[in-house]
Amino acid sequence: MSWYAFTPAGLPKNPCDPNSYTLIGNTPPSCPNPNNFLCAIQANDNLGAPIITFPLQCEIAIALQNRTDTVNVLLKP
């Protein structure tokens, strides 16, 4: 799976929109603490965009709610 940086162009900042991400490769980015906002996700690729499955949506929500990184979701200050 590939890593994608959360780089929304404007408002609203929708973490479930594949167009809000930029492909960065197979190595996770450096996302410093504290864990308050979405930094990057790991997902399967669809022509350079992440495939955001329902389980990944749940993982994003849990990571943001708990302010804790997960296997496929990294947060940043």
Side-chain angles (χ1 to χ4, degrees):
M1 289 196 290
S2 300
W3 282 96
Y4 299 84
F6 185 57
T7 56
L11 296 174
K13 297 180 183 326
N14 182 357
C16 296
D17 180 2
N19 295 319
S20 294
Y21 294 89
T22 302
L23 177 64
I24 53 176
N26 294 325
T27 303
S30 173
C31 299
N33 288 329
N35 298 333
N36 292 322
F37 301 101
L38 186 57
C39 177
I41 62 170
Q42 181 175 228
N44 288 317
D45 185 73
N46 179 29
L47 303 172
I51 298 172
I52 302 176
T53 61
F54 182 72
L56 181 55
Q57 289 177 24
C58 292
E59 190 173 342
I60 292 169
I62 291 168
L64 289 169
Q65 180 178 353
N66 296 333
R67 294 186 177 176
T68 304
D69 292 340
T70 65
V71 171
N72 298 304
V73 180
L74 299 178
L75 303 178
K76 65 181 179 181

